[in-house]
Amino acid sequence: MSKGTVVLAYSGGLDTSCILVWLKEQGYDVIAFLANIGQDEDFEAARKKAESLGAKKVFIEDLRAEFVADFIWPAVQANAIYEDRYLLGTSVARPCIARRQVEIARKEGANFVSHGATGKGNDQIRFELTCYALYPQVKIIAPWRIPEFYNRFRGRKDLMEYAEKHGIPVPVTPKAPWSMDANLMHISYESGILENPKSHAPADLYLMTKNPEDSPNTPDVLEIEFRNGVPVRVSNEKDGTFEESPLGIFSYLNTVGGKHGVGRIDIVENRFIGMKSRGIYETPGGTILLQAHLDIETFTMDKEVRRIKQGLGIKFSELVYNGFWYSPECDFVRHCISKSQENVEGKVMLSVFKGQVYILGRESPKSLYNEELVSMDVQGDYDPCDASGFIRINAVRLREHHRLQGLSSTTKK
């Protein structure tokens, strides 16, 4: 008798294929769910593999368009970046995948969901917090946190032996000595030989971007148009190529950025679970958009609003990294950031060249830039004498501090 139906987040790889068979051994009916979020994958081959392993049903869902519109674009509006460097490519993908996983579980009457995330990483938290938020009654099976599973499968060798025993097709090419996670926004690399933070990444590791040294010797000049803080059009000034759909825009920026080696970082970051980890990331399109959005936002947004919004962006980044996309506080922060973007509109011209993004110019119908006011050649509606009082008022606090407690009070004999 079946213990119930479980929807497994399935990748087609060795780990989740073994988990699929193991779940069946435990008495569950398994529905395999594979999300297309832009990774290079033979989805039909994965479907056939899951069916051959005994999956009751297989869902292959193309989530690329909603991944961009519902998850990447809010991150762009926020200038989302974790610990000053990481653009959150995996972090924003997990709630997108888990949302559809829960939708399938509800539709199919499944009481269980399962995933192949390890017990040491952030992804288990991101998957499960999303599932619990959107399907409070759900039960989660996390094999890599179940002693009977992780004691049985202590490494890749054990998984390979299990696969051969149960007729699970095994990879015919050697596994790279690191783990990789790819989606439309980025590719991340970690573990294996990369766990030594001093070791340099091998030259053949990068799959999404060219080595900047080998990139073209002429730049691509792009114009990116924003409305409400999100890109609505990108065009290439050199060859006239343009894109206007969210998926088309982001894919094209990935292509251009990848060609010029933009968006590589090698960092040590703080996982939510309490340990530091080394990660290498390629985020070409996201890096271009961060620079462009920062520019048009500063051009069109009030200084004090932007100061508050910067703090909200940091908070948003931490919440997303830690798996709280569907928390009430993250919902509140997203609404505040969205409000701040109402006048972030205009065009940014930039050059992409040899691993760098260079801003060339910008224009906006909602610009707060007053050329006459700021000009050194025209006085405009500004009296320079007013600056004297402004400076004296701001100096009151400084003068009193240093008179009573600072350097000036100690120099008196």
Side-chain angles (χ1 to χ4, degrees):
M1 184 176 175
S2 172
K3 290 182 179 178
T5 301
V6 54
V7 178
L8 170 66
Y10 182 69
S11 69
L14 179 63
D15 284 35
T16 54
S17 294
C18 288
I19 289 172
L20 193 162
V21 174
W22 182 82
L23 286 169
K24 285 178 57 57
E25 281 186 336
Q26 307 308 303
Y28 295 98
D29 292 325
V30 180
I31 294 174
F33 156 59
L34 180 58
N36 175 1
I37 50 171
Q39 70 272 38
D40 184 13
E41 182 74 60
D42 187 337
F43 294 101
E44 278 310 306
R47 177 194 298 278
K48 290 175 183 174
K49 185 175 184 180
E51 288 172 345
S52 72
L53 297 178
K56 178 181 170 183
K57 286 186 180 179
V58 180
F59 287 86
I60 296 178
E61 303 283 308
D62 187 346
L63 306 181
R64 291 174 298 168
E66 63 188 73
F67 179 38
V68 177
D70 296 348
F71 295 90
I72 296 178
W73 276 183
V76 170
Q77 288 180 311
N79 300 320
I81 191 163
Y82 179 71
E83 295 186 335
D84 303 314
R85 293 183 288 178
Y86 172 42
L87 293 178
L88 299 163
T90 298
S91 312
V92 296
R94 295 318 187 210
C96 177
I97 296 168
R99 179 174 74 175
R100 183 55 59 90
Q101 185 176 14
V102 162
E103 288 171 0
I104 292 170
R106 284 184 175 277
K107 176 184 170 186
E108 296 296 317
N111 295 320
F112 301 89
V113 295
S114 183
H115 59 77
T118 71
K120 284 188 174 182
N122 293 311
D123 282 344
Q124 58 179 340
I125 305 168
R126 296 165 182 157
F127 274 122
E128 295 182 29
L129 290 182
T130 298
C131 290
Y132 284 131
L134 302 181
Y135 188 3
Q137 302 80 25
V138 76
K139 297 178 179 65
I140 295 174
I141 303 172
W144 288 113
R145 296 204 307 266
I146 298 173
E148 297 93 322
F149 186 89
Y150 67 69
N151 286 326
R152 182 176 180 180
F153 302 107
R154 292 184 175 274
R156 185 170 174 82
K157 182 174 178 289
D158 292 337
L159 288 169
M160 293 284 280
E161 289 175 357
Y162 181 82
E164 289 171 8
K165 179 181 175 183
H166 290 84
I168 301 171
V170 297
V172 293
T173 54
K175 178 178 166 59
W178 52 76
S179 71
M180 183 185 91
D181 181 73
N183 63 47
L184 186 68
M185 189 171 181
H186 83 167
I187 300 180
S188 66
Y189 310 87
E190 62 181 11
S191 76
I193 63 171
L194 303 178
E195 287 178 352
N196 179 350
K198 186 180 178 181
S199 65
H200 295 200
D204 63 347
L205 174 140
Y206 298 97
L207 300 178
M208 204 171 182
T209 58
K210 269 192 177 182
N211 186 329
E213 295 176 2
D214 302 324
S215 64
N217 291 319
T218 55
D220 274 288
V221 177
L222 306 179
E223 180 181 87
I224 303 176
E225 181 177 353
F226 288 86
R227 196 172 301 129
N228 294 319
V230 299
V232 294
R233 191 176 196 273
V234 59
S235 58
N236 190 312
E237 300 297 289
K238 186 164 65 174
D239 62 18
T241 301
F242 70 92
E243 295 287 348
E244 295 181 332
S245 71
L247 179 57
I249 290 169
F250 201 80
S251 298
Y252 182 67
L253 291 174
N254 273 341
T255 300
V256 174
K259 180 173 74 172
H260 289 279
V262 166
R264 294 182 174 189
I265 62 168
D266 182 332
I267 64 172
V268 171
E269 68 198 63
N270 290 295
R271 288 181 180 172
F272 187 32
I273 208 160
M275 61 188 78
K276 292 185 185 290
S277 66
R278 191 257 190 105
I280 296 174
Y281 302 97
E282 298 178 277
T283 318
T287 300
I288 295 171
L289 280 178
L290 174 65
Q291 298 304 318
H293 182 265
L294 280 168
D295 191 79
I296 197 66
E297 184 177 78
T298 305
F299 194 48
T300 56
M301 186 178 287
D302 174 78
K303 170 189 171 183
E304 295 303 323
V305 172
R306 187 171 185 277
R307 189 191 303 271
I308 295 169
K309 189 261 175 181
Q310 278 182 293
L312 291 174
I314 293 170
K315 184 63 178 177
F316 172 82
S317 302
E318 291 172 349
L319 289 169
V320 172
Y321 184 87
N322 293 340
F324 288 96
W325 184 280
Y326 285 105
S327 66
E329 63 271 29
C330 194
D331 184 59
F332 172 75
V333 169
R334 280 201 307 276
H335 275 82
C336 293
I337 290 172
S338 179
K339 173 69 177 175
S340 78
Q341 300 296 292
E342 289 177 349
N343 292 315
V344 179
E345 176 180 327
K347 298 174 181 177
V348 177
M349 288 67 74
L350 55 86
S351 169
V352 186
F353 184 60
K354 296 289 183 185
Q356 298 295 321
V357 179
Y358 300 97
I359 302 296
L360 303 175
R362 77 286 295 158
E363 62 177 337
S364 170
K366 296 186 177 179
S367 164
L368 293 177
Y369 181 86
N370 184 330
E371 189 173 349
E372 183 179 276
L373 181 63
V374 78
S375 174
M376 294 295 185
D377 301 319
V378 180
Q379 185 166 316
D381 187 21
Y382 177 79
D383 185 347
C385 295
D386 292 343
S388 299
F390 178 81
I391 294 167
R392 284 196 297 270
I393 290 295
N394 276 281
V396 169
R397 176 177 61 87
L398 305 181
R399 293 169 76 176
E400 286 302 286
H401 170 75
H402 286 287
R403 182 176 71 84
L404 297 171
Q405 295 181 354
L407 295 174
S408 62
S409 67
T410 61
T411 55
K412 295 178 180 178
K413 299 294 183 182

